[in-house]
Amino acid sequence: MTTKVVDTLIPLYIKEFSCIGAACEDTCCSGWRVNIDEETYKKYKKVKKIEMKSRLEKNIIRNRSNPTKSNVAKMKLEKGSCSFLSKEGWCDIQSQLGEDYLCNTCATYPRRNNIVNRVFEQSLTVSCPEATRLVLLNESGIEFEQGQKEVNIKELISIINTSSDEITHWKDLFNEYRYITIFILQNRNYTLEERLLVLGMLYDELEEYVKKNNINEIPNLFGQYLKCVEDYTFKNAFNNVSNRLDIKIRLCRELVVVRLNQGINSSRYLECSRDMMSGLNIEAKTTNEEVKEAYEDAYTKYYVPFMKEHEYMLENYLVNYLFKNCIPMDCSSPFESYSRMILHYTLIKFHLVGMANHHKGLTTELVIKLVQSLSKTFEHNPTYFEKILGLIKENNIMNLTYMSMLIKN
Ligand code: SF4
């Protein structure tokens, strides 16, 4: 195993994380495929403890069709959960053989590790309930800390290198994108809706600069936006953006149906989606006009009053999302990356409004339950999002007007 001392950039919440094991409401061993890497697989072959040796032989399935170093086998699932999950909710491999015997997937989860321009970055994915609490519940917002750390190279997932002396590609400005995007997202002089709309304008302009190959002028554009955000130029600037709730409702209904049709493993998400549908009166025969009435009512009565006090939860979700996924490096263009983030935000908000009506109000626990289970169901399903983004591109709606309509209300 190789370790190395490297520079780090890590959100402060990471220090507080530890797995709560048996007390977990939605253990990561349930509903997910657990791939085993080559190094761990070889270790399992050498286990001497008789009982564990026979369990490993029985419950590990070789990947014979398409093996890679990180995926030579997988754990057998029993009733949808890992066969090594004890009745009390602990991992038998860890408790009987030790942490060193965890495969890379289990040793790393829910951490996301990146090396970005030679700096080690770690964050948590909110598909883990304990991680969701740490990420979302910090009222003063997510803070980051720079330092140094000895890192186990085995834990790394992706390496991104963008720094170069000469700027020749829009991705060479990654550090600048990230700085300005987090700066705008955490600026509480604006509502979250306003912040997302400002980012939409910025990413739309970036897209034009990239298309016209004006890469060297991008830093000037950032300077102008920073100045305008600081001197309140954008405050109340979006009151005239049209509020096309009908369009948002049509899209969200379709997004949920496409995902439900793929089959859902998370019972927590199924509970949330049922509550959302009951709150918005969504049934096969309900018209979008009827859903719109229920949405408008729930939005004013329950969602807005709760979010007045708790908007920081969605801000933290978005800041964590963009740090973890190295936005906008996750897509082939800046605006596509922005659109992907807005789709996640829109789905979360749509569910919360429906759930608020069903429960006659929102609580921090309901927001945590929804964000965690929705992330497990949607965010960890890359093929789903590729399909959705493909459809949005085909229909020519990956544009500022459409995304702004999704953000409003
Ligand atoms: S989901 Fe998180 S808290 Fe729950 S068992 Fe997995 S790592 Fe632990």
Side-chain angles (χ1 to χ4, degrees), residues 191 193 243 245 248 279-280 291-307 311 345 349-350 352-354 356-357 362 406-409:
T191 63
E193 192 175 274
N243 175 10
L245 200 46
K248 172 147 115 180
L280 296 179
V291 177
K292 186 170 164 246
E293 269 174 43
Y295 185 103
E296 279 170 332
D297 194 39
Y299 181 79
T300 319
K301 221 192 271 175
Y302 303 117
Y303 182 87
V304 172
F306 177 83
M307 281 302 164
E311 202 166 63
Y345 169 77
K349 192 168 163 185
F350 183 74
L352 287 178
V353 172
N357 220 14
L362 277 177
L406 295 183
I407 295 167
K408 277 288 246 181
N409 286 6

Side-chain angles (χ1 to χ4, degrees), residues 92-264:
D92 283 342
I93 292 189
Q94 181 163 3
S95 56
Q96 300 208 27
L97 299 173
E99 207 176 330
D100 275 356
Y101 279 78
L102 292 178
C103 59
N104 282 354
T105 313
C106 297
T108 306
Y109 186 84
R111 296 165 194 85
R112 170 74 175 255
N113 299 328
N114 297 321
I115 289 262
V116 182
N117 295 329
R118 291 179 289 283
V119 176
F120 175 76
E121 299 186 352
Q122 190 170 68
S123 50
L124 296 177
T125 164
V126 293
S127 52
C128 155
E130 184 62 3
T132 316
R133 281 185 275 276
L134 288 175
V135 171
L136 263 51
L137 288 179
N138 187 343
E139 269 187 64
S140 52
I142 295 181
E143 286 178 59
F144 297 88
E145 188 178 65
Q146 289 175 308
Q148 283 203 321
K149 191 180 170 198
E150 190 165 339
V151 170
N152 171 5
I153 301 301
K154 180 183 156 183
E155 287 173 5
L156 296 184
I157 290 187
S158 57
I159 296 180
I160 298 173
N161 258 327
T162 67
S163 58
S164 65
D165 296 338
E166 215 188 333
I167 299 166
T168 54
H169 190 273
W170 67 269
K171 290 193 173 181
D172 293 338
L173 289 160
F174 170 65
N175 289 336
E176 288 81 357
Y177 292 117
R178 178 183 266 172
Y179 174 80
I180 192 164
T181 309
I182 293 184
F183 173 81
I184 294 173
L185 263 183
Q186 291 190 318
N187 192 320
R188 295 190 185 172
N189 291 324
Y190 295 88
T191 63
L192 189 59
E193 192 175 274
E194 286 173 325
R195 288 175 246 167
L196 289 171
L197 291 165
V198 172
L199 282 177
M201 288 194 324
L202 172 63
Y203 274 78
D204 187 50
E205 288 204 57
L206 279 173
E207 192 77 14
E208 284 305 304
Y209 278 46
V210 172
K211 277 187 194 149
K212 291 181 181 154
N213 206 20
N214 288 341
I215 310 294
N216 285 315
E217 291 179 30
I218 291 177
N220 281 340
L221 180 71
F222 288 155
Q224 287 162 23
Y225 267 80
L226 284 174
K227 187 175 172 301
C228 289
V229 168
E230 275 177 340
D231 66 18
Y232 298 95
T233 305
F234 296 123
K235 193 72 198 155
N236 301 321
F238 304 101
N239 295 346
N240 295 332
V241 171
S242 58
N243 175 10
R244 292 290 309 274
L245 200 46
D246 52 332
I247 289 179
K248 172 147 115 180
I249 285 168
R250 190 162 6 120
L251 178 79
C252 287
R253 277 184 87 165
E254 282 168 19
L255 292 183
V256 172
V257 168
V258 171
R259 186 62 193 89
L260 289 175
N261 284 343
Q262 290 181 338
I264 305 284

Side-chain angles (χ1 to χ4, degrees), residues 17-21 24 26-29 109-110 127-130:
F17 178 76
S18 67
C19 170
I20 54 170
C24 182
D26 193 7
T27 167
C28 42
C29 299
Y109 186 84
S127 52
C128 155
E130 184 62 3

